[in-house]
């Protein structure tokens, strides 16, 4: 038996704003291997005060399950009301609270990683979510606002007291952005300090990295973000590698964009289809040496059909290279 089956490790698609919508999750699901999907972050205020039936962020696919909803905000009462509302008409597998997003605007509102400075309030948010659902409630964290492992431990302890069922750690401090390598040793620190499941995240760029992360930290699962944008089939490859030590070859460079164009048309409202396709291409094209140049050309084309036609030309003689699938900024 492989490490996947024996130890019930889970493989998660990371929540990524503007990117892990229903169409992209379906693309990932179609390639297989992912065992837990997350939505992009959902603003609790929007869920409470707008009509969820008309909210494009709440569209779900057919194969993107189990699907956990990631919530972002600040007021425990709004988290409670949002979860109550979602429980009434959606079939999410559980709820995740975003304590990790380090974007300027999010931090200015006091959301995301800014809440790591307020463990009392963060615990109240977890308790408010727990009170309104019997489903799993998880939290996604960075290392902290600054790099302070003792504070990280205290923060997690507060969330555990409030009832959190699982933690995902992206081990970089807010002030570090993506500038330094993820500190996987902090994933191990949490795993050793607490008995709840810990999902490891950060800098998994291929199947070999996933195995190294599992083995070096003892974590209960792996969450992959950017490399899944470059290779939506990465979960299939990780699962195969963990099961049998090898993985299939990559699909042709055009396959994923062709599928994605169909999926955005099926799942997203017309006003978002081209924007979301383009946003994903920014990442996908980083598989190729001249990807940013290709992206500049694709951006100038208007309409999905025109973008696809140009892609067919640009990618005709390209191939997907071996892992690791690193985004440009890290090469
Ligand atoms: C474009 C982008 C959008 C992101 N949006 C979110 C988000 O909505 N919620 C969240 O918790 N993390 C978000 N993240 C962080 C990722 O979920 C993940 O923690 C991070 O990218 C590290 O994982 P990776 O090295 O596998 O990419 C985002 C990251 C990127 C690159």
């Amino acid at each position: 038996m492989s490490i996947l089956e024996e130890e019930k490790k889970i493989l998660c698609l990371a929540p990524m704003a503007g990117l892990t919508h229903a169409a992209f999750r379906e693309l990932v699901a179609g390639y297989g291997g992912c065992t837990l999907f997350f939505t992009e972050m959902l603003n609790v205020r929007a869920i409470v005060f707008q009509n969820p039936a008309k909210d494009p962020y709440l569209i779900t696919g057919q194969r993107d399950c189990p699907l956990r909803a990631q919530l972002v905000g600040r007021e425990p009462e709004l988290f409670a009301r949002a979860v109550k509302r979602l429980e009434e008409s959606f079939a999410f597998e559980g709820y995740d609270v975003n304590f990790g997003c380090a974007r300027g605007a999010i931090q200015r509102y006091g959301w995301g990683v800014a809440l790591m400075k307020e463990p009392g309030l963060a615990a109240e948010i977890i308790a408010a979510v727990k009170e309104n659902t019997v489903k799993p409630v998880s939290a996604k964290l960075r290392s902290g606002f600054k790099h302070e492992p003792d504070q990280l431990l205290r923060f997690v302890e507060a969330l555990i007291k409030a009832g959190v069922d699982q933690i995902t750690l992206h081990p970089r401090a807010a002030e570090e952005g993506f500038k330094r390598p993820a500190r996987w040793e902090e994933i191990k620190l949490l795993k050793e300090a607490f008995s709840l499941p810990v999902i490891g995240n950060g800098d998994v760029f291929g199947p070999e990295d996933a195995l190294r992360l599992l083995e070096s930290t003892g974590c209960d699962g792996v969450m992959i973000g950017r490399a899944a944008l470059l290779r939506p089939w990465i979960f299939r490859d990780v699962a195969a590698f963990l099961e049998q030590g090898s993985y299939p070859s990559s699909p042709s460079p055009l396959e994923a964009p062709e599928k994605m164009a169909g999926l955005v048309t099926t799942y997203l409202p017309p006003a978002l289809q081209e924007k979301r396709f383009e946003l994903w291409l920014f990442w996908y094209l980083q598989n190729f040496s001249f990807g940013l140049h290709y992206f500049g050309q694709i951006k100038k084309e208007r309409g999905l059909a025109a973008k696809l036609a140009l892609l067919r030309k640009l990618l005709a003689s390209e191939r997907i290279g071996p892992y690791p699938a690193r985004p440009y900024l890290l090469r």
Side-chain angles (χ1 to χ4, degrees):
M1 245 203 308
S2 76
I3 183 169
L4 261 191
E5 295 158 355
E6 209 175 319
E7 301 180 24
K8 300 204 169 15
K9 303 292 189 191
I10 58 176
L11 302 179
C12 317
L13 172 64
M16 288 180 284
L19 290 152
T20 54
H21 40 69
F24 182 72
R25 296 190 308 257
E26 281 290 311
L27 180 68
V28 169
Y31 283 114
C34 180
T35 47
L36 181 59
F37 294 84
F38 284 72
T39 64
E40 49 192 314
M41 59 181 157
L42 308 170
N43 176 350
V44 287
R45 193 168 281 274
I47 296 170
V48 171
F49 295 113
Q50 291 168 18
N51 179 359
K54 293 197 172 152
D55 186 342
Y57 295 98
L58 285 169
I59 297 169
T60 53
Q62 280 164 341
R63 295 197 281 177
D64 55 345
C65 48
L67 174 61
R68 197 171 284 183
Q70 191 193 55
L71 305 175
V72 69
R74 179 169 176 83
E75 297 86 358
E77 190 226 335
L78 290 184
F79 275 88
R81 288 171 65 189
V83 170
K84 216 179 268 177
R85 231 173 162 190
L86 293 177
E87 287 280 278
E88 281 161 13
S89 36
F90 291 86
F92 291 115
E93 170 272 351
Y95 300 93
D96 186 70
V97 179
N98 181 329
F99 296 118
C101 184
R103 282 191 192 176
I106 298 287
Q107 289 200 50
R108 276 196 298 283
Y109 296 144
W111 303 355
V113 75
L115 286 163
M116 291 195 74
K117 288 194 269 188
E118 298 178 80
L121 181 57
E124 278 178 47
I125 290 172
I126 293 294
V129 176
K130 286 290 290 186
E131 270 163 30
N132 287 283
T133 183
V134 293
K135 295 174 181 168
V137 174
S138 55
K140 182 161 176 287
L141 328 176
R142 277 193 177 238
S143 299
F145 199 71
K146 290 182 177 304
H147 176 62
E148 288 158 334
D150 287 347
Q151 289 217 11
L152 171 65
L153 289 171
R154 278 200 292 279
F155 187 82
V156 173
E157 217 168 85
L159 299 192
I160 291 173
K161 280 195 189 129
V164 79
D165 298 299
Q166 184 188 68
I167 296 281
T168 303
L169 181 63
H170 172 206
R172 289 184 177 94
E175 60 186 7
E176 292 165 346
F178 277 99
K179 278 188 232 115
R180 52 151 293 127
R183 296 182 164 94
W184 287 1
E185 64 276 14
E186 290 184 352
I187 296 168
K188 187 173 182 201
L189 183 74
L190 292 193
K191 187 63 201 155
E192 287 175 354
F194 304 109
S195 56
L196 89 172
V198 175
I199 307 300
N201 170 232
D203 297 350
V204 172
F205 299 123
E208 292 82 356
D209 290 339
L211 179 62
R212 259 191 327 111
L213 175 59
L214 288 167
E215 286 184 341
S216 64
T217 67
C219 65
D220 301 276
V222 174
M223 176 181 275
I224 305 178
R226 293 163 297 164
L229 300 173
L230 271 71
R231 312 229 173 145
W233 54 88
I234 192 172
F235 298 99
R236 167 199 82 177
D237 294 351
V238 172
F241 187 67
L242 296 179
E243 271 155 19
Q244 77 228 11
S246 64
Y247 42 85
S249 49
S250 291
S252 86
L254 261 172
E255 185 183 289
E258 303 252 19
K259 285 183 188 216
M260 184 64 160
L263 290 167
V264 295
T265 312
T266 306
Y267 287 102
L268 303 186
L272 284 181
Q273 293 170 3
E274 194 179 340
K275 275 192 211 158
R276 292 296 185 257
F277 182 68
E278 195 175 285
L279 192 58
W280 169 66
L281 275 185
F282 168 75
W283 292 91
Y284 181 73
L285 290 173
Q286 295 185 39
N287 277 305
F288 314 106
S289 304
F290 299 107
L292 285 186
H293 171 68
Y294 294 163
F295 182 70
Q297 289 182 263
I298 299 282
K299 254 176 95 80
K300 290 187 200 144
E301 295 295 323
R302 290 284 157 260
L304 275 178
K307 284 184 192 317
L308 261 185
L310 180 57
L311 269 174
R312 285 188 194 112
K313 279 191 207 149
L314 293 173
L315 300 185
S317 54
E318 286 288 0
R319 55 179 281 277
I320 304 277
Y323 286 106
R326 285 174 187 275
Y328 281 139
L329 295 176
L330 294 175
R331 285 183 188 160

